Amino acid sequence: MSETPSLRARIEHELGTETYECSICVSAIAVSDAIHSCDVCFAVLHLWCAEEWAETSGEAFDDGTIGGAWRCPCCQTQKWTFPAGVCYCGSAYGSEENEYEAWFEVPHSCGLDCPTERDCLHSCPLPCHPGPCTLCQQDVKSICYCGKKSFQHICSKRPETLECDAICGSLLACGSHRCEKHCHSGPCLPCSVQVQQGCICKKSSQAVPCDVAASSIYYACGKVCETLYACQKHTCPETCHSHGESIRPCPYDPEVLLKCPCGNMKFTVEVSKQKRAGCEDPLLLCDDICWKEMSCAHFCKQECHVGPCTFCFEKIIMSCQCGSKTIVVNCSEARLISVVPACTTQCKRMKHCGRHHCLKKCCPKVALEHESEQQDPHYCGLPCGRTLKCGKHECPLECHRGPCPRCIEATFAEIQCACGKTVLEPPIPCGEPQYPTCSFPCTLPRDCGHAIPSHVCHHPSNPCPPCRFLVPRICRCGKGTVKSAICSSATLPSCGKPCLSTKSCGHTCKQVCHAGPCLTVKCDRPCGKMRLECSHECRYPCHEGSPCIEAGGCGALVRVSCECGFREATRSCVQVSSARGATLEWIARGGDLAGEEKRSPVDAKGKLWCNAECEAMKSEENRTVHYPKDLVDYAESNIEFAILITNAFANLLEALQKFYTFAPMKQEQRDFIEALAEHYGILTETEDEEPNAFIVAQRVLSSERPKILLPKAVDLKRRGLLIIGVEEAAQDSTAVEVERKPKLPKGFARPIAVPTREAVRVSNTFELLNLEERD
């Protein structure tokens, strides 16, 4: 790998190949062009471009100077001399057509030695050249710090340290010892050898470093002198001091002390000797006030006394820390108080930040509010902590007024978009978009491999538009495959079929295809297990883990009939069993079975009692119907439709309106309605054309309900009790000739009532039709 060329080599190459561009006109500099070279950033400019640039910045003079400073367009360095057409070193002057390039290898060079002096004071060995000078390669010799060893090295590659392995040995400042450290830079450390130094009174000594002892011969030990005076009775009360050769006289001697302690009364030697025989006699006192100035600046108001003035009776006013309250005390008592008294007043002043209140009691800063003008005494030193506009960092300043400054954090790495065609150049301040806005198409591949719809390039964390391709996928229950599932759907598709998985209770799951386990909610389906007392299925809600509930009896519906089979009824199992038990109990007690039907609906065998209806049904006339056989067969196979039409005719016979319009229906259904209407004596007329043909029925005076309704006839047929009349059985219902009554009046072109199949349910068929109860 080739090394990166230096700035000098790059400028020389680009000038020689005429590919170097002037930063002002952005045009290539030819070898024959006059140039101006900046001595700071080494940028090369056209001479005329530099002159025009300088003229626009300041006024030019004849002596080559300009009225104001102009700046280099590349490095913005101020220049005070007008640009001139010289070589790089400034030695040769030429015209606009430089005449030196033809004789030297470096374009625009004078060829003379470079006169630039480097930091090492060695001159540059190269001829006049652009760009910075090369590093100095001369061999030099450097001496170590202690001067005992020398180092040979290249001038530009000075060793990091000039320390050698020898001991320094320089004489220290004390003048008595030498440095014992290894060769080092800078001055030697002070002498650390410990020596004994005597005090002024020559009664004690101390160990101090040698340099300290050299600067001061003696020191004061601070002890009381206690040297005897000439009286040999009193000692000196002063602290450590120098002594003269003679003994000092006693200051209490009558010949020396010639005034009272306060100094207001003076005595003569004769009077002093007359009243005091020696230095041990009491001192003479006057009757005046002491009036000596004490350390508190007050004057002593005691009578003349011996010894120092100790107690000041001056009354002074002391303020609390905040200055809101004051107390009056003696001056001496005030000096004994080490802490300024505090009151209980809470400050509650707003701090300089404008956000927090000072909650201290007896705040001392209140008294400083008028003393400090530069800084608010209630300065809030808490950190601001408010979130900056970037939303990521907190304000690093102390609590302050006004808005927080802009976040100083920044990203110094360039950020590319996902396609790599748009780049966000650093530095990127915090709070600004950290991802470039790219207008090129997105190139991110899909995991599914399908084609991507055209959309703008975006951050990889933002998903592409969902894939709308239809693919086959396993359904949620895993039992089937959905062929047209959306590829990008996060949820599995549903096949729409029941789950049918077996739950823990034994029932199958009736939920539509679902993921995961079946719902653990309580199963609401009937139990389905066989009951012990009647062998019917348990109809109570599922009770997994507990036995079937026997209390309340079996609720299963059973059909019971009489002995002859003419009567039938649907009863619950518990009703039949309880009624049978009541009958057996009545028989066991010797009861008469005559009229037992009123007491219990079933006999001892669990069958219905035969009654007058049974006797009537034994007659074939009561079981004979005049409906055609194919009409009964059609009603049996379409019982719901037959019940619907029968109910519609029953409503028509009871309603106030004489007309009833059926909904459009098929041909066979219309034929059934027309055939059944003949047995009611109801007129019918078909209106409109297929497929919208419908029937309009009209009630007349002769219209009446048949003796046995068609659904009843179907029920008798199923039980094998139906007898169809000979005439009706011999002919087909479609061939029966019924005397037609006059057609309906015109004007019934559209349906006015549409009976729906959902309006009638099979479970309450006989109630809707008011059929005769069969119990």
Side-chain angles (χ1 to χ4, degrees):
M1 182 182 296
S2 61
E3 296 182 356
T4 303
S6 63
L7 177 62
R8 177 183 56 80
R10 182 179 64 82
I11 296 176
E12 289 180 357
H13 173 73
E14 292 182 359
L15 289 175
T17 56
E18 295 186 351
T19 57
Y20 190 93
E21 293 183 353
C22 174
S23 299
I24 299 177
C25 65
V26 199
S27 300
I29 299 177
V31 176
S32 60
D33 294 339
I35 64 166
H36 169 76
S37 177
C38 179
D39 56 353
V40 177
C41 64
F42 307 106
V44 180
L45 309 171
H46 284 118
L47 178 60
W48 54 83
C49 291
E51 290 176 347
E52 184 178 358
W53 182 275
E55 287 176 356
T56 56
S57 301
E59 183 180 355
F61 296 100
D62 296 336
D63 58 354
T65 62
I66 57 177
W70 63 281
R71 294 180 180 272
C72 171
C74 297
C75 64
Q76 299 299 312
T77 303
Q78 285 188 341
K79 305 286 186 176
W80 294 93
T81 57
F82 200 73
V86 297
C87 63
Y88 306 110
C89 65
S91 299
Y93 283 78
S95 62
E96 292 185 357
E97 297 296 331
N98 196 325
E99 58 187 30
Y100 297 99
E101 72 280 1
W103 295 286
F104 302 104
E105 181 179 357
V106 180
H108 311 286
S109 173
C110 64
L112 302 177
D113 292 338
C114 179
T116 304
E117 290 189 1
R118 294 177 287 194
D119 296 337
C120 62
L121 302 180
H122 295 139
S123 59
C124 178
L126 299 176
C128 178
H129 61 84
C133 297
T134 59
L135 297 177
C136 184
Q137 301 296 322
Q138 292 191 17
D139 291 337
V140 295
K141 184 183 294 184
S142 299
I143 300 176
C144 68
Y145 300 120
C146 66
K148 299 177 180 179
K149 187 177 179 180
S150 61
F151 299 92
Q152 191 78 17
H153 61 88
I154 297 175
C155 180
S156 60
K157 296 183 179 180
R158 181 181 176 88
E160 295 181 0
T161 178
L162 297 177
E163 296 179 358
C164 66
D165 299 334
I167 301 299
C168 177
S170 300
L171 186 64
L172 299 177
C174 64
S176 303
H177 304 95
R178 293 185 176 274
C179 180
E180 297 179 355
K181 289 191 173 184
H182 286 279
C183 179
H184 59 84
S185 61
C188 298
L189 297 177
C191 182
S192 60
V193 177
Q194 298 290 324
V195 296
Q196 292 294 325
Q197 182 185 34
C199 70
I200 300 175
C201 64
K202 301 180 180 180
K203 292 183 177 181
S204 61
S205 62
Q206 64 177 2
V208 295
C210 180
D211 60 334
V212 176
S215 60
S216 178
I217 302 176
Y218 299 104
Y219 79 100
C221 64
K223 298 179 180 179
V224 179
C225 180
E226 295 183 351
T227 303
L228 290 173
Y229 290 123
C231 65
Q232 299 297 315
K233 295 177 182 179
H234 296 99
T235 58
C236 178
E238 298 179 10
T239 55
C240 178
H241 60 89
S242 60
H243 299 279
E245 296 182 358
S246 59
I247 300 175
R248 297 174 64 185
C250 179
Y252 302 106
D253 188 273
E255 296 182 0
V256 176
L257 186 58
L258 300 178
K259 59 182 179 180
C260 66
C262 67
N264 293 330
M265 182 179 290
K266 297 182 178 180
F267 311 100
T268 60
V269 176
E270 291 77 9
V271 175
S272 179
K273 287 183 177 182
Q274 184 180 1
K275 294 184 178 182
R276 297 180 64 237
C279 62
E280 294 180 338
D281 291 342
L283 300 181
L284 298 178
L285 302 177
C286 69
D287 297 332
D288 294 336
I289 302 300
C290 179
W291 293 115
K292 286 184 179 179
E293 186 176 0
M294 295 184 290
S295 58
C296 61
H298 295 138
F299 295 97
C300 179
K301 295 182 179 181
Q302 301 181 43
E303 292 184 354
C304 183
H305 59 86
V306 179
C309 302
T310 56
F311 194 85
C312 181
F313 294 93
E314 192 73 26
K315 300 293 183 179
I316 62 173
I317 299 175
M318 290 188 65
S319 299
C320 63
Q321 296 180 12
C322 66
S324 61
K325 295 184 179 181
T326 58
I327 57 175
V328 179
V329 295
N330 293 327
C331 179
S332 296
E333 294 177 355
R335 285 183 290 172
L336 296 176
I337 300 175
S338 58
V339 180
V340 179
C343 65
T344 58
T345 304
Q346 197 172 26
C347 182
K348 295 185 179 180
R349 280 175 170 76
M350 179 67 71
K351 295 186 178 181
H352 87 289
C353 62
R355 295 174 57 195
H356 303 108
H357 290 272
C358 179
L359 302 178
K360 291 183 179 180
K361 291 184 179 181
C362 194
C363 178
K365 296 180 180 179
V366 176
L368 302 176
E369 288 183 349
H370 302 289
E371 298 179 5
S372 177
E373 298 180 356
Q374 298 180 355
Q375 183 179 2
D376 190 347
H378 284 87
Y379 183 81
C380 184
L382 297 175
C384 177
R386 286 183 287 189
T387 304
L388 299 176
K389 291 183 178 180
C390 65
K392 298 179 180 179
H393 304 100
E394 294 181 351
C395 179
L397 304 178
E398 291 183 345
C399 196
H400 58 87
R401 289 180 177 269
C404 296
R406 183 178 179 180
C407 183
I408 60 174
E409 300 293 333
T411 302
F412 294 93
E414 65 178 22
I415 301 177
Q416 291 186 347
C417 66
C419 67
K421 296 180 180 179
T422 306
V423 179
L424 204 59
E425 298 292 342
I428 306 171
C430 183
E432 295 187 3
Q434 299 293 311
Y435 193 80
T437 301
C438 180
S439 58
F440 292 94
C442 176
T443 59
L444 294 175
R446 286 191 187 274
D447 296 336
C448 60
H450 293 136
I452 305 176
S454 179
H455 62 283
V456 179
C457 177
H458 56 87
H459 194 278
S461 62
N462 299 329
C464 294
C467 180
R468 293 298 179 183
F469 281 84
L470 300 180
V471 295
R473 297 184 69 179
I474 302 297
C475 67
R476 299 174 186 174
C477 63
K479 299 177 182 178
T481 303
V482 178
K483 297 182 179 180
S484 57
I486 298 177
C487 178
S488 61
S489 177
T491 58
L492 294 175
S494 174
C495 62
K497 299 179 181 179
C499 176
L500 300 180
S501 299
T502 303
K503 298 183 179 181
S504 58
C505 62
H507 295 123
T508 56
C509 178
K510 293 298 183 180
Q511 291 179 268
V512 180
C513 174
H514 61 86
C518 299
L519 294 178
T520 58
V521 295
K522 186 176 181 181
C523 181
D524 57 353
R525 299 184 62 192
C527 174
K529 297 180 181 178
M530 302 300 294
R531 298 177 66 89
L532 300 178
E533 72 276 8
C534 60
S535 300
H536 288 135
E537 293 183 356
C538 178
R539 295 293 179 180
Y540 285 95
C542 179
H543 46 82
E544 179 186 3
S546 59
C548 295
I549 303 172
E550 302 295 338
C554 177
L557 298 178
V558 295
R559 294 186 65 84
V560 292
S561 61
C562 63
E563 190 69 29
C564 62
F566 288 109
R567 294 183 61 202
E568 273 192 352
T570 301
R571 296 287 185 269
S572 64
C573 179
V574 63
Q575 290 177 342
V576 175
S577 60
S578 60
R580 180 173 176 269
T583 303
L584 291 174
E585 183 181 357
W586 177 255
I587 295 173
R589 289 189 294 176
D592 187 8
L593 294 179
E596 183 61 22
E597 182 180 359
K598 297 180 181 180
R599 184 184 300 274
S600 177
V602 298
D603 58 11
K605 296 180 181 180
K607 296 188 177 229
L608 296 175
W609 301 94
C610 290
N611 55 11
E613 181 184 358
C614 294
E615 295 298 329
M617 292 300 294
K618 289 179 180 179
S619 174
E620 293 183 357
E621 182 180 357
N622 296 331
R623 291 184 287 126
T624 302
V625 296
H626 300 281
Y627 297 112
K629 182 177 181 301
D630 59 347
L631 186 66
V632 177
D633 293 342
Y634 183 85
E636 183 180 8
S637 59
N638 301 275
I639 187 62
E640 293 184 11
F641 181 71
I643 293 172
L644 182 69
I645 301 304
T646 303
N647 189 35
F649 283 159
N651 293 336
L652 179 60
L653 293 177
E654 298 176 359
L656 297 177
Q657 295 182 358
K658 295 182 179 181
F659 298 95
Y660 190 93
T661 304
F662 291 91
M665 56 186 67
K666 298 180 181 179
Q667 179 66 45
E668 61 178 10
Q669 293 175 331
R670 297 199 305 272
D671 293 342
F672 173 80
I673 294 174
E674 291 177 350
L676 184 60
E678 294 175 358
H679 296 275
Y680 282 83
I682 296 175
L683 301 180
T684 58
E685 184 72 21
T686 302
E687 300 289 344
D688 212 340
E689 298 179 356
E690 295 289 349
N692 298 322
F694 61 94
I695 292 178
V696 178
Q698 180 184 5
R699 184 187 71 215
V700 295
L701 294 176
S702 60
S703 300
E704 62 179 358
R705 173 180 169 180
K707 183 178 180 180
I708 299 177
L709 297 179
L710 185 58
K712 178 72 174 180
V714 173
D715 184 61
L716 291 174
K717 180 184 178 183
R718 289 176 179 174
R719 294 162 55 190
L721 303 177
L722 181 65
I723 299 176
I724 300 178
V726 177
E727 297 179 359
E728 285 75 7
Q731 61 183 350
D732 188 87
S733 64
T734 58
V736 174
E737 291 294 334
V738 180
E739 182 181 356
R740 288 286 184 180
K741 297 184 179 181
K743 290 187 178 182
L744 297 174
K746 295 183 179 180
F748 298 93
R750 300 306 306 164
I752 59 175
V754 183
T756 59
R757 181 170 298 180
E758 290 76 5
V760 181
R761 297 184 60 86
V762 179
S763 61
N764 57 356
T765 298
F766 296 104
E767 180 180 356
L768 293 174
L769 297 177
N770 297 320
L771 296 178
E772 182 181 4
E773 187 178 3
R774 298 172 296 161
D775 53 0

